[in-house]
């Protein structure tokens, strides 16, 4: 008989009611952040811990800052499967130093990625284009629809950090001097639409995007190299600062995305449960493809998690014990 995986939306500032615990694991609260990749990972952990290890897993809604802060200050929830470490470095450092938080596996094995991308079909046809400088040397391959004599670099909407950085990199790499215009796509939908149109018509496209996303699961893109090493001081003071007048070339740092647990949970959880959370990790390519399936099928996080488990035994069975694997398979 299947155990249910409860999903509730509770304020992290309120107490979390306890329910009857399974003797071999007990109650486990798992934070589901309000974006697709985090939602499906929380659902996946809930199913695996529930069905494979006998935990009484409850998924609660959250967001990065309040969730991690609550884990440090209140000891709840027990697990944040997709913690964007670089967004709350001081909170996580304090929680770790004070013995309140423990880091588990990298949720994304290759980290979250931002930068400038081109379609794979264009990269395949032009193998010499590897870097931003290489792309900007060919405005003819990325024509602006309104002025084909110019190339176009597509940016995100106003208000995004990635939009500020792309604007600064456009200056640093001399985009205007090299015959390009920086295109304000106006919204997330506008940015997505520009990639979709380019793909459907096999046209040139270069611009800002990130992973993991459902769109990159549908349209295969290649990230351009920056051609220079990462300079953290310059990044903070200028590349990510819209008021800096003289930005220089810089690499775009990746974001560490890691599973975070409370120390209390990490110390009291069964060894095989802790081992799972120290091992479970998937790539951007895997998540992109899964989110594309979820988007196409209007699937929930739980739907996506079950689809992943049914279709990717070769990945997830390496994360769990053989006994847990058999229980999970039987429950699907």
């Amino acid at each position: 008989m299947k155990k249910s995986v409860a999903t509730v939306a509770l304020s992290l500032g309120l107490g979390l009611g306890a329910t009857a615990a399974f003797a071999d694991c007990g109650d486990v609260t798992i934070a589901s952040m309000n974006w697709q990749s985090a939602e499906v990972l929380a659902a996946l952990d809930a199913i695996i811990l529930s069905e494979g290890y006998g935990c009484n897993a409850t998924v609660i809604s959250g967001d990065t800052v309040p969730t991690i802060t609550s884990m440090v200050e209140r000891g709840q929830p027990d697990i944040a499967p997709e913690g964007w470490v670089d967004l709350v470095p001081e909170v996580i450092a304090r929680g770790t130093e004070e013995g309140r938080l423990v880091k588990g596996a990298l949720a994304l094995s290759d980290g979250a990625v931002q930068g400038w991308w081109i379609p794979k079909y264009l990269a395949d046809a032009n193998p010499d284009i590897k870097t931003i400088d290489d792309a900007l040397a060919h405005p003819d391959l990325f024509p602006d629809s309104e002025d084909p004599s110019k190339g176009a670099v597509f940016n995100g909407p106003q208000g995004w950090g990635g939009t500020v950085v792309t604007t600064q990199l456009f200056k640093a790499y001399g985009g205007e001097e090299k015959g390009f215009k920086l295109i304000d796509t106006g919204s997330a939908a506008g940015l997505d639409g520009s990639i979709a149109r380019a793909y459907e018509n096999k046209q040139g496209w270069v611009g800002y995007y990130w992973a993991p996303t459902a769109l990159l699961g549908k349209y295969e893109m290649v990230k351009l190299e920056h051609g220079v090493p990462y300079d953290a001081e310059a990044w903070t003071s200028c590349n990510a600062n819209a008021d800096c007048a003289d930005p220089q070339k810089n690499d775009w740092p990746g974001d560490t995305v890691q599973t975070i647990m409370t120390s209390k949970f990490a110390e009291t959880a069964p060894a095989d449960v802790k081992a799972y959370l120290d091992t479970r990790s998937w790539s951007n390519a895997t998540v992109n493809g899964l989110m594309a399936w979820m988007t196409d099928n209007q699937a929930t996080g739980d739907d996506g998690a079950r689809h992943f488990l049914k279709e990717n035994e070769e990945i997830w069975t390496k994360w769990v014990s053989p006994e847990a694997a058999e229980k999970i398979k039987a429950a699907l």
Side-chain angles (χ1 to χ4, degrees):
M1 178 176 161
K2 291 186 181 180
K3 292 180 289 292
S4 64
V5 180
T7 303
V8 297
L10 295 176
S11 167
L12 289 170
L14 300 176
L16 297 171
T19 56
F22 290 94
D24 53 347
C25 179
D27 294 326
V28 182
T29 49
I30 303 171
S32 176
M33 311 304 189
N34 59 356
W35 57 88
Q36 197 176 39
S37 61
E39 179 190 1
V40 70
L41 185 56
L44 180 66
D45 282 351
I47 293 170
I48 287 177
L49 293 182
S50 234
E51 305 292 5
Y53 296 103
C55 303
N56 184 32
T58 301
V59 176
I60 66 170
S61 63
D63 208 342
T64 300
V65 175
T67 295
I68 303 299
T69 301
S70 178
M71 292 173 75
V72 173
E73 296 179 353
R74 299 182 177 89
Q76 285 285 353
D78 297 306
I79 307 167
E82 191 174 297
W84 286 59
V85 174
D86 299 311
L87 294 180
V88 283
E90 295 179 358
V91 177
I92 290 179
R94 174 167 65 89
T96 303
E97 291 166 4
E98 294 177 357
R100 298 171 185 240
L101 295 180
V102 172
K103 294 178 181 178
L106 291 174
L108 288 172
S109 58
D110 44 354
V113 180
Q114 298 184 78
W116 291 18
W117 308 68
I118 61 175
K120 186 177 185 299
Y121 57 78
L122 194 144
D124 290 344
N126 299 273
D128 57 315
I129 298 180
K130 304 288 187 184
T131 68
I132 291 175
D133 279 323
D134 293 338
L136 294 180
H138 297 280
D140 56 301
L141 293 178
F142 309 96
D144 175 34
S145 60
E146 295 182 0
D147 182 2
S149 69
K150 299 282 188 180
V153 173
F154 290 87
N155 206 352
Q158 297 304 310
W160 285 10
T163 300
V164 171
V165 173
T166 293
T167 301
Q168 294 295 74
L169 290 179
F170 185 79
K171 297 175 187 175
Y173 284 84
E176 185 174 355
E177 293 80 3
K178 294 175 181 177
F180 278 78
K181 294 166 61 177
L182 187 60
I183 307 299
D184 181 353
T185 53
S187 66
L191 180 60
D192 289 359
S194 68
I195 293 175
R197 285 192 298 274
Y199 242 87
E200 289 165 4
N201 296 299
K202 289 296 182 286
Q203 296 172 337
W205 189 97
V206 60
Y208 169 74
Y209 215 72
W210 72 97
T213 54
L215 191 81
L216 293 193
K218 185 173 184 179
Y219 302 116
E220 193 169 1
M221 304 286 283
V222 174
K223 184 177 178 293
L224 294 173
E225 299 171 9
H226 288 233
V228 295
Y230 172 58
D231 183 330
E233 191 284 325
W235 180 269
T236 301
S237 64
C238 200
N239 296 109
N241 180 2
D243 295 327
C244 178
D246 187 28
Q248 302 300 306
K249 295 179 182 180
N250 206 342
D251 198 9
W252 201 313
D255 289 306
T256 301
V257 183
Q258 193 162 16
T259 297
I260 307 296
M261 295 169 270
T262 64
S263 296
K264 180 180 178 181
F265 172 79
E267 291 165 1
T268 60
D272 49 3
V273 169
K274 179 66 164 49
Y276 163 70
L277 293 167
D278 286 340
T279 304
R280 187 264 297 119
S281 182
W282 51 13
S283 68
N284 273 286
T286 297
V287 183
N288 288 343
L290 178 57
M291 289 195 296
W293 179 87
M294 290 171 65
T295 299
D296 288 344
N297 291 277
Q298 298 182 332
T300 65
D302 188 70
D303 294 334
R306 293 182 182 278
H307 175 78
F308 170 80
L309 290 168
K310 291 174 183 177
E311 300 296 326
N312 296 275
E313 284 189 11
E314 74 284 358
I315 295 177
W316 67 264
T317 51
K318 296 176 182 177
W319 303 337
V320 302
S321 67
E323 296 79 11
E326 290 308 311
K327 291 178 183 178
I328 294 164
K329 291 177 188 177
L332 295 175

